Amino acid sequence: MTNLGVYEEKIKDFSWEISERELGYKQGDNINIGEYCTDRICRMGKKDKLALIWEGHGGDIKKYTFDDMRMLTNSIARFFKELGLKGGDRICLFMDKIPELYFGFLGILKMGGIAQPLFSAFGSESLLTRLEDAGTRAVMTQKRHLPKVRNIVKDLPGLEFIIVVDDDASKPLREKEISFSMENIEKIDQFDIFPSKAETPSVLHYTSGTTGKPKGAQHVHYSLISQYITAKYVLDLKDDDIYWCTADPGWVTGTSYGIIGPWANGITQCVLDSGFKAESWYKFAEKHKVTVWYSAPTAIRALMKEGIDVVKKHDLSSLRHLCSVGEPLNAEAVIWSEEAFGRPFHDTYWQTETGSIVISNYPDMKVKPGSMGKPFPGIEATVVDLNTHLPIERTGTVGLIALKPGWPAMFRTYWNNEEIYKSKFKNGWYICGDRASIDEDGYYWFVGRDDDVINTGGHLVGPFEIESALLEHEAVAESAVVGKPDPVNMEVVKAFIALKPGFTASKDMNLNIMNFVRKRLSPLAMPQEIEFVDSLPKTRSGKIMRRVLRAKEWGEEIGDTSTLENDEG
Ligand code: PRX
């Protein structure tokens, strides 16, 4: 029996109150995600149950019970408070997937701070943009990432504390830097948890758009109501599950379903802090007897490349439910997973902004390979016309995915950017910015993004951020960045570059520019290919027409460019 049961039945009588009731929450009560994921689970008699099984890249394993996690998150919360950090302060987590990242996140929420997780592979420039915008007061990081913070600290007068979680005193720390050891900290039994209410800000996740700087999607503690029930119904998490979410908490999947959803359900999670390698992933799933696995199409395609023989070398019979998110899950991957693991990957669709799964394939529902499934109960979804933004009645017609605002995990604004936030709503619908169609059975079929944002391996990168970084390179006169098809990562970054007079295109120049972007922004943002050109296609007013370049890469019709030349959009 699955937690959701029959989808058609569930949608009839679903209301978010079901989740509120299960969580023992009533309107007006305090609601603190940190408390719900730790103290409440302990009160339910699961003190000694394992909350986290963590494995490092060297194979070292650490295990924590819910009671360990409750006390360590208290200790971290008190540590922040004693530094003078207060409710509403933005505290950034800039770490690999180590236990301190997970417990730091909940510790921040317990003392009322706003957790701002950032992907640890970000370079200094990516970090600077996001810390500056958020007005971050403290960063929690590791020795290996400290140099990137040191590079920019002079540009961030508001950044008061840089907390180093693995300082071994081998090198002196500098001004503002503080050593912190979770291994040695006193475990605190009692902590006065911040009395957050439903609308108290909780998490700030930065996401990339087509234009301008990345935007901070602002979430609130009430998001728990969606995250708890979607983890229960879509991931089908049950008490004896061992759950593995491969996402990094630098991105929303890693917090909504790598921290909040599963732990609010009192589920044992395992985390592998190492990069992708098919063999080690299978070994990990086998060793820890993973039952529910939440991953991404790029990872699945990479596993497919390694072949079924590698799968068969391992006993993966513990796996009972597989889900995927972040990019279109191609039909072949679903079919392959049935052959390899005896069960399909279930595609789920959502965004940083939605905070929780909004369209999905459910455990009891027939999977149509290649489809994203149907709206989650309680989510009113449709596709709207590209121009009028009115719902499209006819099945099979491509439009924009649109959601009726009001579900608990929906973002409340973009930090410092109410104007762009407002622009996301049309005719009373939140417009996701993705194109899709709905078939006669109500299944959604993803078509593509409606903007120039590049989705590489499930991570969004904004062309504008990369183009801005490129312009800082001494040889670059102008550039345009687009996504180019890739068999594993779906898209990779391609840059078209016109060089300044006196500079010539060469292999060295190519590498030099690639490394320049990798170091400043991240390996994700680094162009995998650079094409040197004499000039770039522009509109009459001089705006670069990315769409023309993109269409070329995808072998699509460019259409009538005279309209594009006038297009200022
Ligand atoms: O374009 C869609 C794609 O990823 C975008 C959201 O990215 P982000 O905010 O980083 O959150 C990623 C994880 C929740 C969407 O606007 N996307 C996400 N899931 C799918 C998808 N595209 C196709 N199929 C999906 N299942």
Side-chain angles (χ1 to χ4, degrees), residues 221-259:
H221 281 269
Y222 190 62
S223 69
L224 172 74
I225 304 298
S226 302
Q227 288 150 346
Y228 163 81
I229 201 82
T230 45
K232 181 169 173 177
Y233 285 177
V234 180
L235 304 175
D236 197 40
L237 294 176
K238 300 200 173 109
D239 201 28
D240 54 357
D241 272 319
I242 304 287
Y243 166 68
W244 181 26
C245 169
T246 57
D248 187 303
W251 311 100
V252 74
T253 308
T255 58
S256 291
Y257 297 103
I259 299 182

Side-chain angles (χ1 to χ4, degrees), residues 206-207 251-253 294 297 324-329 347-354 359 372 432-434 446 448-449 455 458-460 490:
Y206 275 78
T207 181
W251 311 100
V252 74
T253 308
Y294 198 17
S324 159
V325 65
E327 320 146 57
L329 180 65
D347 194 11
T348 69
Y349 167 89
W350 56 292
Q351 307 176 304
T352 304
E353 288 84 348
T354 68
I359 296 172
M372 305 196 295
C432 297
D434 289 307
F446 185 82
R449 285 193 62 97
N455 187 336
H459 301 114
L460 301 188
M490 188 172 91

